[in-house]
Amino acid sequence: MGKLHRDFYNRDALTVGKELLGKVLVHEADGITLAAKIVETEAYSGFEDKAAHFYGGKRTPRVEVIYGEPGFSYVYFIYGMYNCFNVVAGGKNDPQAVLIRALEPLEGLQQMALNRFSKPYGELVKREIIGLTNGPGKLCKAFGIDKSFYGEDLCESRLYLEDGEQDAAFQIVTAKRVGIDYAEEAKDFPWRFYIKDNRYVSVK
């Protein structure tokens, strides 16, 4: 499986959001490889998107990476508890991003369980197994992604994305984004994408 190149990210967030499904997020750290299939994403695109942190052209140190080159990570902290990992899409000065909402674990499950629940994978109950990575905050904790990953070059670093199984076929479901009731008309944009019937999807 090959690492995704810059050109993959240099497109609109809706296209990237759909095509990230089935791709694999990889984190290599301390000799351990964590890998999981992306099964749910949300797109945030343009100055008119009232759900986006860059709505109306807002440009602060927090969102500066989104105005840069595509293929970098945008990590932010919410509710004083959770990190959220986003992939920067679009081109320079064309702010667009894709939130990774859920993953299906593939490799490094033991370390994910220790990161997430502080106990071995073999001791997890079914609810905890699903709960490893079935939400944006959960997957960041399982993968050890925190604010130190802000601005990470996903084409050149310890954290990257690669192609999934080439023959894997699945149906994509399009739905409203989650947790953005404040965003007026943007809360109804059908910009969330997930793999149909995947048990790790956060919200069906």
Side-chain angles (χ1 to χ4, degrees):
M1 295 188 289
K3 186 182 293 188
L4 302 185
H5 297 291
R6 191 86 57 206
D7 288 348
F8 176 90
Y9 305 104
N10 192 17
R11 299 176 295 164
D12 68 276
L14 277 74
T15 298
V16 174
K18 290 178 183 176
E19 294 193 12
L20 278 173
L21 296 177
K23 300 295 191 282
V24 177
L25 178 64
V26 181
H27 179 198
E28 296 180 350
D30 302 321
I32 297 173
T33 298
L34 307 181
K37 181 169 70 175
I38 298 172
V39 299
E40 184 183 5
T41 64
E42 282 181 350
Y44 292 84
S45 180
F47 295 137
E48 293 76 37
D49 183 0
K50 293 179 181 176
H53 293 164
F54 43 82
Y55 166 62
K58 182 178 181 180
R59 191 160 184 168
T60 64
R62 180 193 192 198
V63 300
E64 189 61 33
V65 70
I66 305 178
Y67 284 85
E69 298 293 336
F72 285 77
S73 68
Y74 170 49
V75 179
Y76 62 88
F77 199 55
I78 58 170
Y79 308 136
M81 297 176 64
Y82 306 112
N83 290 293
C84 291
F85 166 65
N86 300 254
V87 172
V88 175
K92 193 170 184 179
N93 294 316
D94 176 20
Q96 303 192 53
V98 178
L99 171 67
I100 307 303
R101 279 200 60 88
L103 303 171
E104 178 184 325
L106 299 174
E107 184 179 350
L109 278 67
Q110 180 81 328
Q111 189 61 49
M112 289 187 209
L114 292 172
N115 290 346
R116 178 90 171 85
F117 296 112
S118 300
K119 61 183 179 181
Y121 185 81
E123 294 181 9
L124 302 186
V125 299
K126 183 178 180 181
R127 171 181 51 79
E128 292 172 324
I129 290 172
I130 299 298
L132 271 177
T133 51
N134 69 337
K138 297 174 184 179
L139 70 87
C140 280
K141 189 168 184 183
F143 259 68
I145 298 173
D146 56 22
K147 288 293 290 293
S148 71
F149 285 82
Y150 177 96
E152 197 91 2
D153 186 345
L154 300 173
C155 300
E156 299 289 343
S157 77
R158 56 189 167 163
L159 185 69
Y160 58 91
L161 294 95
E162 62 183 19
D163 287 318
E165 295 295 336
Q166 297 299 312
D167 59 352
F170 51 80
Q171 184 175 339
I172 296 175
V173 177
T174 299
K176 296 178 183 180
R177 295 174 292 184
V178 177
I180 54 167
D181 290 342
Y182 58 86
E184 299 180 6
E185 73 279 356
K187 70 182 176 60
D188 295 320
F189 291 176
W191 288 2
R192 181 166 65 97
F193 313 104
Y194 63 87
I195 295 177
K196 185 178 181 181
D197 297 328
N198 188 283
R199 65 179 184 159
Y200 287 92
V201 171
S202 66
V203 179
K204 303 293 196 295

